[in-house]
Amino acid sequence: MNAFEKEVEETRLRNKEVMDTLLGGVKQTIRKRVEEKQQQRQEKRVTRAKRKAAVEPTERRASARLSGKSPVNYSERSHLSAISPILRNRPRTREVRRGDRNYEGPCASEEAQDAAREAAENLTGQLDFADYKRFTPSIVGGGFWCDAPPRIKQKVGEVEFYGAKNKRDMTFLVGENTYDVVLLSRGGFSGGWRGLAIKEEYNVGDYGVFEWVDDNTIRLHVFRAADYE
């Protein structure tokens, strides 16, 4: 190896040593930053947990119009305890409609339900804008989600919804009673419907006629199947 080659080799070794030093520093810096980030995330989790534990739970109302009203706790009233006395001890019929197969509560006969449906159809034809539907287990005794009848869904597409959840506060008129119920943009009634169904003691097989009064009000006419036994 001549003098020039020896100088080149020494320069290469010095450069390699410098690069190893630089890369080692970079790796150490990256490792340190990762550890710091992990420590910050852990501290944030602890802080959130402490803050959540320190805040006392507060009741949230679905509608601002309910802020001045006394809250009602429906969790203490199961649907089965609120069933009409006419049906409470009635044996379940053998004829079970599709969608009711897992329902274990009382149910009126097929003939009585058909009579209630016919009455609902007749009233719907006499009203300006209305539609009817049969009350299923999920509407009156399960998830308490009431999908709007087809004609009412047409109106849903014409009104304005608010907030990130796209909801609208509606007033339900049921006889002399008034209820605040949340209408969702996907075409169904959610918040407030559970309390309405329990208090009015609806049962599977009843038929409800939903009359659209205006963009904020719906009048509900219910034909109870038990009345046609």
Side-chain angles (χ1 to χ4, degrees):
M1 180 182 293
N2 56 35
F4 175 75
E5 292 175 341
K6 185 177 180 180
E7 183 179 355
V8 171
E9 181 63 18
E10 291 176 353
T11 302
R12 186 184 67 79
L13 293 175
R14 285 198 303 270
N15 291 340
K16 184 177 182 300
E17 184 178 355
V18 172
M19 290 299 297
D20 290 343
T21 302
L22 292 175
L23 290 176
V26 171
K27 291 180 180 179
Q28 185 177 3
T29 302
I30 293 175
R31 189 181 302 110
K32 183 178 180 180
R33 290 293 298 166
V34 170
E35 292 175 353
E36 290 177 353
K37 284 290 185 182
Q38 292 176 346
Q39 181 64 24
Q40 290 175 1
R41 293 194 187 99
Q42 181 63 26
E43 291 176 355
K44 287 182 179 180
R45 292 194 199 99
V46 173
T47 301
R48 282 197 298 265
K50 290 181 178 179
R51 187 183 301 118
K52 185 176 181 180
V55 176
E56 295 183 358
T58 57
E59 181 184 12
R60 296 183 179 180
R61 308 296 299 192
S63 170
R65 291 180 292 175
L66 300 179
S67 59
K69 298 183 180 180
S70 300
V72 180
N73 183 9
Y74 292 106
S75 62
E76 298 176 354
R77 300 176 56 191
S78 68
H79 176 64
L80 295 180
S81 66
I83 292 176
S84 171
I86 300 177
L87 292 179
R88 184 175 292 118
N89 299 318
R90 183 185 301 280
R92 189 181 179 196
T93 60
R94 292 185 179 180
E95 298 176 339
V96 181
R97 301 197 180 196
R98 185 174 59 184
D100 297 353
R101 300 188 184 281
N102 296 325
Y103 177 67
E104 298 297 335
C107 188
S109 66
E110 286 287 310
E111 293 78 9
Q113 294 184 44
D114 290 340
R117 176 181 57 78
E118 183 176 354
E121 286 180 348
N122 292 335
L123 177 61
T124 300
Q126 300 172 16
L127 300 174
D128 292 335
F129 198 97
D131 203 351
Y132 70 93
K133 75 175 303 168
R134 178 178 179 270
F135 289 164
T136 60
S138 63
I139 293 176
V140 299
F144 291 97
W145 159 263
C146 181
D147 196 37
R151 290 199 72 198
I152 300 301
K153 282 191 176 182
Q154 296 177 15
K155 287 291 187 180
V156 171
E158 300 174 2
V159 298
E160 183 179 359
F161 291 86
Y162 309 99
K165 295 185 178 180
N166 288 327
K167 63 182 183 179
R168 184 181 185 88
D169 295 328
M170 301 291 292
T171 298
F172 265 65
L173 306 178
V174 185
E176 298 180 353
N177 297 327
T178 302
Y179 300 89
D180 292 302
V181 179
V182 174
L183 170 64
L184 299 181
S185 60
R186 54 179 168 158
F189 305 102
S190 181
W193 174 262
R194 182 175 189 270
L196 186 159
I198 291 177
K199 186 172 182 179
E200 295 295 332
E201 300 182 356
Y202 295 148
N203 291 290
V204 171
D206 295 345
Y207 277 81
V209 177
F210 295 74
E211 179 186 3
W212 189 275
V213 179
D214 55 45
D215 290 351
N216 298 305
T217 310
I218 290 178
R219 187 181 301 277
L220 180 60
H221 313 265
V222 176
F223 294 88
R224 301 176 186 271
D227 295 340
Y228 296 89
E229 290 283 20

